[in-house]
Amino acid sequence: FTQDDAHIFCTPEQLDQEFKEVIDLVLYVFGSLGFEDFTAQVSIRDMENLDKYIGDVDTWEIAEQAIINAAKDKGLDFVIEEGEAAFYGPKLDFMVKDALGRSWQLGTIQVDYNLPKRFDLSYKGSDNQSHRPVMIHRAPFGSMERFIAVLLEHT
């Protein structure tokens, strides 16, 4: 399957603004193509099965709260789904129903503190010290095949 996945590397201080701008991109795509009836889903860890996820609890809480805050700031009507996070971080999924009323994830935006650490990524900050970036995974369409299938049903 084909996915329009791209990655934004930013400082922790830039995360809030960058995440909101990606929300704007997804909303632009959806609005341009007539997807008005969707659910924003904040996908977080399964608190009963934390061994399914990498990284420490504090980092996960920061990432989950960043997504919730961005969704609130953008005025999204959202639900929180426990256990739907990726193994490396929480995500904001945009769920659209098909002609049979089934929900499908189209766009997704994910906050990832863990893979930059695993890949030992760093940048030199204004203090001339090495710092770890945050990665935002963004796929405004998600799976292209799924997106086109749902779009065809809506047109």
Side-chain angles (χ1 to χ4, degrees):
F1 86 107
T2 308
Q3 193 166 3
D4 65 327
D5 194 20
H7 302 90
I8 298 167
F9 295 92
C10 61
T11 69
E13 298 78 22
Q14 294 170 323
L15 175 61
D16 182 60
Q17 185 62 36
E18 292 292 332
F19 197 89
K20 289 178 191 174
E21 289 177 6
V22 179
I23 290 174
D24 289 340
L25 174 62
V26 173
L27 295 177
Y28 175 79
V29 168
F30 278 32
S32 297
L33 297 172
F35 288 126
E36 297 172 3
D37 184 22
F38 63 87
T39 301
Q41 175 179 299
V42 178
S43 299
I44 62 172
R45 298 165 290 169
D46 177 354
M47 300 307 283
E48 301 295 319
N49 292 301
L50 295 177
D51 57 326
K52 292 177 15 179
Y53 309 98
I54 62 172
D56 62 85
V57 172
D58 292 339
T59 303
W60 270 88
E61 288 174 359
I62 291 168
E64 289 169 346
Q65 198 56 55
I67 293 174
I68 291 168
N69 290 343
K72 285 180 182 176
D73 288 351
K74 296 306 285 181
L76 294 178
D77 183 23
F78 66 91
V79 297
I80 296 177
E81 286 292 331
E82 189 173 309
E84 293 297 317
F87 74 93
Y88 51 78
K91 52 190 184 154
L92 179 63
D93 295 323
F94 293 83
M95 310 299 288
V96 178
K97 289 187 178 175
D98 66 11
L100 298 176
R102 299 172 298 186
S103 285
W104 295 94
Q105 175 198 313
L106 296 186
T108 186
I109 315 167
Q110 305 164 2
V111 175
D112 183 355
Y113 282 88
N114 291 304
L115 293 183
K117 183 177 182 182
R118 281 210 166 177
F119 296 136
D120 196 27
L121 301 179
S122 64
Y123 65 92
K124 192 141 323 227
S126 60
D127 60 359
N128 210 29
Q129 299 298 311
S130 185
H131 300 275
R132 182 90 53 218
V134 180
M135 184 189 310
I136 299 172
H137 303 253
R138 68 113 185 111
F141 295 93
S143 159
M144 295 303 290
E145 294 83 357
R146 183 184 309 146
F147 191 92
I148 296 300
V150 175
L151 177 63
L152 287 172
E153 291 181 343
H154 278 81
T155 56

